Amino acid sequence: MNSNNKKQSEDECGSANAISPKQIRKILSKINVGKNDIFYDLGSGHGRVIRTVVKHTKVKNAIGIEDDIDRFCESIRISKKTLTKEQKKRVEFICAKFEKYDFSDATIIYEGHEEDEKEVHMYEEKLKKRKAKIIKMDLPLIGYKPLKCIEIEKRRFYIIQYPFVSMKNKEIEWCAFVNKQNPTFKGISDYYRNVMSNYQIDEYDTRKSLRYMKTLFEKRF
């Protein structure tokens, strides 16, 4: 495969490839991925995150879980063309709903979707007392303390340590992680509305996301 075709495969875009290889590499450089780590991408799409992880770290295993059959097949197709034999040994793609899959051996997890009400419970159920780092895009888990924020190309990624540290009754402190200038729910809403605008999300879906975020906010603070 020539270099132009290889680059084209890696640059194939779409909703499943919302995070760029540069962003992934920068995140990896900040979390010290080692040879004993097991990395999961929950909702792995075309597999870009998983491929970048095995190319740029010595991670023991990198596993992508994707329930869309077309994206799952595409992740395998691209990986066969772009990974070395050694890299392929450390990669696995699974066609399944990640909520129902046993990822209890994970030490690092990337989950790039909007937070779901059941997400925290899912981690508690799957991981039990095991220590793991959770990577979230755009917002940290609402009401839980992030370790750090990494900003790359005007996009934010939050690293959260599991077991989680609740910030109940520390609303202003949590809000300051997202909007230091206005550490209130209004400040968080303004920030997230701007994020949705940058993604060209329509007004209906934006309002729906903000209402859902407010529900979680009120429950956890």
Side-chain angles (χ1 to χ4, degrees):
M1 184 179 194
N2 66 44
S3 59
N4 288 336
N5 288 339
K6 183 175 181 178
K7 185 178 187 300
Q8 181 180 354
S9 293
E10 286 299 335
D11 286 346
E12 288 175 358
C13 58
S15 59
N17 279 336
I19 179 172
S20 73
K22 180 180 177 180
Q23 290 169 331
I24 302 165
R25 291 195 300 270
K26 184 70 176 289
I27 294 167
L28 295 174
S29 72
K30 298 291 186 179
I31 58 174
N32 300 318
V33 182
K35 63 181 181 180
N36 294 319
D37 280 310
I38 298 177
F39 187 107
Y40 278 84
D41 181 359
L42 305 184
S44 54
H46 299 155
R48 175 179 284 176
V49 171
I50 294 301
R51 289 191 299 277
T52 305
V53 169
V54 297
K55 286 179 179 179
H56 295 279
T57 75
K58 295 181 179 180
V59 69
K60 183 176 181 180
N61 293 110
I63 301 152
I65 306 175
E66 173 59 54
D67 68 343
D68 183 283
I69 187 66
D70 292 331
R71 291 177 177 176
F72 166 74
C73 291
E74 187 72 355
S75 66
I76 293 175
R77 182 189 71 80
I78 298 174
S79 297
K80 284 181 177 179
K81 291 185 175 182
T82 60
L83 298 182
T84 66
K85 185 176 181 179
E86 185 278 331
Q87 289 165 351
K88 289 174 187 175
K89 290 178 181 179
R90 296 185 287 137
V91 165
E92 183 176 5
F93 289 105
I94 296 160
C95 191
K97 290 186 177 295
F98 63 77
E99 301 92 338
K100 298 181 178 179
Y101 189 80
D102 179 10
F103 54 85
S104 58
D105 56 342
T107 61
I108 303 172
I109 297 169
Y110 174 72
E111 207 285 273
H113 303 93
E114 282 188 336
E115 182 179 353
D116 183 275
E117 185 177 8
K118 299 177 181 178
E119 187 170 338
V120 169
H121 176 70
M122 175 187 71
Y123 290 128
E124 292 172 342
E125 183 181 63
K126 304 287 187 183
L127 299 174
K128 307 298 183 186
K129 298 291 185 179
R130 184 185 184 96
K131 290 184 178 181
K133 289 184 176 70
I134 316 294
I135 305 164
K136 291 291 295 181
M137 183 166 59
D138 300 325
L139 280 173
L141 291 172
I142 294 173
Y144 295 93
K145 185 176 182 178
L147 284 177
K148 64 177 71 175
C149 173
I150 304 168
E151 189 161 346
I152 316 156
E153 299 173 340
K154 298 182 180 180
R155 197 163 199 175
R156 295 183 189 175
F157 299 88
Y158 289 88
I159 314 300
I160 303 126
Q161 180 72 54
Y162 182 86
F164 302 129
V165 176
S166 173
M167 296 189 74
K168 189 174 179 64
N169 301 321
K170 297 181 179 180
E171 176 181 331
I172 294 176
E173 187 178 342
W174 183 86
C175 289
F177 281 109
V178 180
N179 191 335
K180 291 180 181 179
Q181 286 70 41
N182 186 4
T184 64
F185 180 75
K186 175 66 163 56
I188 305 305
S189 297
D190 289 346
Y191 156 76
Y192 201 57
R193 176 175 284 280
N194 186 57
V195 168
M196 301 291 272
S197 176
N198 290 339
Y199 297 166
Q200 298 182 325
I201 305 299
D202 66 40
E203 183 62 21
Y204 174 82
D205 286 335
T206 296
R207 289 182 179 179
K208 184 178 178 181
S209 293
L210 291 172
R211 285 196 301 270
Y212 190 69
M213 185 174 70
K214 184 176 182 180
T215 298
L216 286 181
F217 194 89
E218 291 174 345
K219 282 184 177 181
R220 294 180 184 169
F221 290 110

